[in-house]
Amino acid sequence: MSRAPFTLTIVAVLMAGAALALYGPGPDAPALLVANKNGASLYLVNPASGQVTDSVSTGAGPHEVAAAPSTRRAFVANYGDGTISVIDIDGPSETARWRLEATQRPHGIAVGPDEERVYVTAEDRQAVLELRAASGTVLRTFETGQDVTHMLALAPNASSLFATSIGSGTATKIDLEQGQMGAPTATGDGAEGVAVSPDGEEVWVTNRADDTVSILDATSASVVDSLSVPGFPIRADVSPDGRHALVSAPRAGDVAVYNADQRRLMTRLDVGQKPIGVLAPTDDRAYVANAGSGTVSVIDLNARAVVDTLSAGRGPDGMAYVPAP
């Protein structure tokens, strides 16, 4: 690990988001946040009604978004111009835009449970950055040494995180408490999506070029199982109760739903065109962002069925959920 060789400046916000309506979600309302990578915007969706309540402009190519529920903020990784947009969800407005001057292609992003730290992959630098959430200052830089470090997932207690590297086909565990890098674990060609189980014991890694998902023991970071998922598996998430794991497969146009405890496939659900982002924020609901059709599919996890389809801009990809306070 090397410590913060990067500098960071704040780019003045040039314009407010282009509103689709005259209101945001409201300070007491939940919100589904959808990054529109082809529309340079963040959509705010009312999960109950399925209606888009607002849209906020971001930097170019916003691919992933992470939420800080207590402070009602969102952080958007703008893959196209090397910036991070800070969004006031209740405004809604972009309040700052941080430029990572010494790196480009920020992608995977997460907010620590204390909401004081933001973690983002710096793909071209083969690194994960730890930022101060209040200012964007780079606090620590974790160099993976792996090609195309793309996605990350925090352990539930934020003691560690796991970063995947597409080009190297690996997952790397980073001990945040000790500030130490683990040795990369070979998972499969095109390792990309990553999710940590709510109990912190397992890590699901999608290997898109291998059509597999690797299950890692979170403590040892070793592979303990492998699942076949034809269709270019690209993202994964596990529901808060640990019952369901979901894997999106854009070439198959569907999402695979697993019994997470048994690692058993329960069903594959047809969704929209080119499903990428997948999010299971509650025990009974999951969302799949279909980049090709500009929609988000809503899945009832108990019924294991698609129950609604929402319009969600151009190229919806990464998503985050903000519960009601």
Side-chain angles (χ1 to χ4, degrees):
M1 183 191 77
S2 65
R3 291 191 177 270
F6 303 138
T7 59
L8 180 148
T9 60
I10 297 180
V11 178
V13 178
L14 299 180
M15 61 180 291
L20 296 182
L22 298 178
Y23 53 90
D28 297 322
L32 175 67
L33 311 178
V34 184
N36 283 269
K37 61 185 178 184
N38 297 330
S41 62
L42 181 71
Y43 270 30
L44 288 78
V45 180
N46 182 318
S49 68
Q51 297 299 308
V52 176
T53 62
D54 241 307
S55 174
V56 180
S57 294
T58 63
H63 279 218
E64 297 294 326
V65 55
S70 296
T71 54
R72 304 284 289 184
R73 290 180 298 163
F75 300 87
V76 182
N78 301 312
Y79 190 72
D81 63 10
T83 66
I84 295 174
S85 293
V86 183
I87 307 294
D88 173 1
I89 296 168
D90 294 327
S93 63
E94 183 185 38
T95 59
R97 193 177 297 177
W98 304 333
R99 182 175 299 280
L100 303 170
E101 290 187 338
T103 185
Q104 294 181 7
R105 298 191 181 277
H107 196 277
I109 192 164
V111 178
D114 60 4
E115 300 188 4
E116 295 181 357
R117 302 288 186 271
V118 175
Y119 299 91
V120 63
T121 58
E123 185 179 285
D124 286 355
R125 300 290 300 190
Q126 300 182 337
V128 173
L129 309 181
E130 181 184 73
L131 310 179
R132 189 182 303 279
S135 63
T137 304
V138 180
L139 300 174
R140 293 187 291 183
T141 300
F142 299 94
E143 297 177 348
T144 66
Q146 301 296 288
D147 189 25
V148 193
T149 301
H150 194 68
M151 295 292 290
L152 58 77
L154 275 170
N157 62 2
S159 62
S160 60
L161 66 75
F162 295 82
T164 53
S165 299
I166 298 172
S168 298
T170 58
T172 303
K173 181 178 181 179
I174 300 173
D175 185 326
L176 297 174
E177 292 182 338
Q178 300 298 320
Q180 296 178 347
M181 301 285 300
T185 300
T187 60
D189 288 347
E192 183 166 348
V194 57
V196 183
S197 62
D199 60 10
E201 294 183 359
E202 291 186 347
V203 184
W204 289 55
V205 176
T206 66
N207 308 305
R208 66 186 200 184
D210 272 354
D211 278 353
T212 61
V213 171
S214 298
I215 313 296
L216 278 62
D217 175 272
T219 301
S220 65
S222 58
V223 176
V224 296
D225 204 352
S226 180
L227 309 175
S228 175
V229 188
F232 207 70
I234 199 166
R235 294 286 187 275
D237 201 16
V238 182
S239 60
D241 59 8
R243 294 172 54 217
H244 297 96
L246 295 95
V247 177
S248 57
R251 290 183 180 168
D254 66 15
V255 60
V257 183
Y258 286 87
N259 177 310
D261 287 335
Q262 300 175 5
R263 304 170 192 160
R264 175 176 57 85
L265 178 67
M266 294 190 289
T267 189
R268 295 190 69 151
L269 299 173
D270 291 334
V271 286
Q273 299 172 16
K274 197 178 179 182
I276 298 180
V278 61
L279 179 69
T282 68
D283 294 342
D284 59 356
R285 279 288 186 271
Y287 302 91
V288 181
N290 305 303
S293 54
T295 61
V296 170
S297 298
V298 183
I299 296 174
D300 182 324
L301 291 175
N302 295 319
R304 297 195 290 276
V306 176
V307 294
D308 202 358
T309 301
L310 316 177
S311 295
R314 297 188 293 129
D317 193 344
M319 296 177 289
Y321 188 84
V322 183

